[in-house]
Amino acid sequence: MAVPVAVLDCDLLLYGRGHRTLDRFKLEDVTDEYLVSTYGFPRQFICYLVDLLGASLSRPTQRSRAISPETQILAALGFYTSGSFQTRMGDAIGISQASMSRCVANVTEALVERASQFIHFPEDEAAFQSLKDDFYELAGMPGVLGVVDCTHVAIKAPNAEDLSYVNRKGLHSLNCLMVCDARGVLMSAETHWPGSLPDGTVLQQAALTRQFETELHKHGWLLGDSSFLLRTWLMTPLPIPETPTEYRYNMAHSATHNVIERTFRTIRSRFRCLDGSKGTLQYSPEKSSHIILACCVLHNISLEHGVDVWSSSATGHMEQPEEEYEQMESMDSEACRIRQELLLTHFS
């Protein structure tokens, strides 16, 4: 005989059946200073997210229909920027810890659905030229479309494929491959790679490589550090510079590539759920990857809305495995020719 099971809704117990939409928290009731200190972003930015994600977050589902999009977004921002499901965070907006978790899941998926809208390379020649001009102004490196690097985000040990996520420091992580422009705007973010994979292997298998080899290589090149192999569309530093020309090239390369390192620091500082200071992401690799990508989307939206990318300094503790670079030259003779021509034309 089937036994009926009662499913208890924490919010229903707290607030009763009279609330079809629980407006527990009103943006207009608090100051901008409070919103920035508690949720990491000002009122105008939060209102934009409500307009952007409202339709997705208002889907009539069994569990989330009682919580307004505004409340769900505040809950998610509170987690992204603090890295914690603290009881006081839920109390501030009037929801339980279990509901906080559901809100984070809902908002994360809504942001991931829109990732291609906010994270992408330009599509016209004028925009590509603008990228190259911006990078050239930094340190005189010509033809640069973006700077690429990897960063690790610590996660809990997954139930399956455990060893594939163990990085060089013996910690479980995702290795995230990203490209940004001269302002720190992300143009590519692949956040799902297991932490055991070296940076060079990640790039070799990445969609980014296929994208450049098939279409974007004709517009210019990316800059990558010595963990990557020299390619016709990826300029790396010279392993052992010997001449003044080679030193000038390496110095310009380093100064330009530093933009992605600053961008990583800013993202970790703004989104403390990624920096390890409150522990690892307590989710499966897939869900953790989505949270990282959601934070990348928010990073780009914040730049679009004038929230300064360099406004805060990183204070987190996210583990970043140091690659043991094997200094080896590319066997691609065309890539070597292109780099040599670049040295002679612009740095001699």
Side-chain angles (χ1 to χ4, degrees):
M1 181 179 68
V3 178
V5 178
V7 179
L8 299 180
D9 188 314
C10 299
D11 296 314
L12 188 62
L13 292 174
L14 285 171
Y15 300 101
R17 295 185 178 276
H19 294 268
R20 296 289 292 179
T21 300
L22 298 175
D23 294 319
R24 307 173 175 88
F25 184 95
K26 296 288 188 181
L27 282 177
E28 58 269 23
D29 292 341
V30 295
T31 65
D32 266 333
E33 290 75 13
Y34 173 81
L35 291 173
V36 171
S37 64
T38 307
Y39 304 103
F41 294 96
R43 187 188 321 274
Q44 184 179 6
F45 182 89
I46 296 171
C47 290
Y48 172 81
L49 290 182
V50 173
D51 291 339
L52 177 69
L53 307 178
S56 297
L57 299 177
S58 298
R59 294 168 183 164
T61 61
Q62 183 70 23
R63 290 187 173 187
S64 63
R65 65 186 177 186
I67 303 178
S68 69
E70 180 179 284
T71 300
Q72 292 185 63
I73 288 168
L74 289 171
L77 291 179
F79 168 71
Y80 297 147
T81 58
S82 72
S84 174
F85 286 121
Q86 294 177 5
T87 302
R88 66 174 180 82
M89 184 69 70
D91 289 345
I93 53 179
I95 62 175
S96 65
Q97 184 171 327
S99 292
M100 278 280 295
S101 181
R102 291 198 298 270
C103 290
V104 170
N106 292 343
V107 174
T108 296
E109 291 312 303
L111 288 167
V112 168
E113 288 173 1
R114 291 160 176 80
S116 61
Q117 177 182 345
F118 294 99
I119 303 175
H120 57 81
F121 283 93
E123 298 179 353
D124 61 85
E125 188 57 43
F128 280 117
Q129 187 58 51
S130 179
L131 283 177
K132 290 186 276 192
D133 291 344
D134 289 344
F135 276 115
Y136 188 79
E137 291 180 3
L138 292 179
M141 180 70 75
V144 180
L145 300 179
V147 286
V148 58
D149 207 348
C150 288
T151 187
H152 285 252
V153 175
I155 63 172
K156 73 172 184 178
N159 295 326
E161 299 182 70
D162 184 71
L163 293 179
S164 68
Y165 291 92
V166 178
N167 61 39
R168 297 182 66 90
K169 291 192 173 182
L171 303 172
H172 292 84
S173 67
L174 290 169
N175 196 3
C176 306
L177 178 74
M178 301 187 194
V179 178
C180 75
D181 69 11
R183 295 193 303 123
V185 176
L186 296 173
M187 298 181 291
S188 179
E190 300 186 33
T191 60
H192 62 282
W193 296 102
S196 65
L197 292 181
D199 295 358
T201 303
V202 168
L203 180 62
Q204 183 179 356
Q205 300 178 9
L208 176 68
T209 292
R210 296 190 295 274
Q211 189 177 14
F212 264 83
E213 289 183 343
T214 58
E215 54 180 303
L216 294 182
H217 63 90
K218 60 182 178 290
H219 296 286
W221 44 69
L222 300 176
L223 294 189
D225 63 21
S226 298
S227 62
F228 302 120
L229 198 62
L230 178 71
R231 301 168 185 255
T232 57
W233 49 268
L234 177 65
M235 294 293 103
T236 59
L238 289 153
I240 306 176
E242 297 177 346
T243 68
T245 293
E246 293 175 346
Y247 275 105
R248 283 192 289 269
Y249 167 83
N250 271 14
M251 289 178 64
H253 187 292
S254 177
T256 307
H257 188 264
N258 186 53
V259 173
I260 188 75
E261 296 165 6
R262 294 175 67 195
T263 299
F264 286 157
R265 290 196 297 269
T266 298
I267 291 173
R268 292 197 298 268
S269 178
R270 176 166 287 156
F271 303 107
R272 301 300 295 276
C273 68
L274 307 182
D275 77 350
S277 63
K278 297 295 178 64
T280 63
L281 284 175
Q282 296 297 302
Y283 299 92
S284 68
E286 180 182 7
K287 289 184 178 179
S288 296
S289 170
H290 285 186
I291 287 173
I292 300 166
L293 185 56
C295 290
C296 290
V297 173
L298 289 172
H299 168 79
N300 276 9
I301 295 175
S302 70
L303 290 181
E304 185 179 294
H305 285 254
V307 181
D308 187 5
V309 67
W310 313 125
S311 61
S312 57
S313 59
T315 57
H317 304 85
M318 185 179 66
E319 294 291 343
Q320 173 64 52
E322 296 179 2
E323 294 283 350
E324 292 182 3
Y325 301 144
E326 181 182 350
Q327 299 288 4
M328 56 182 179
E329 280 296 83
S330 173
M331 298 302 292
D332 186 338
S333 59
E334 179 63 12
C336 293
R337 185 196 65 78
I338 290 174
R339 186 171 65 181
Q340 187 61 29
E341 182 179 317
L342 177 60
L343 266 71
L344 295 175
T345 304
H346 294 278
F347 297 98
S348 60

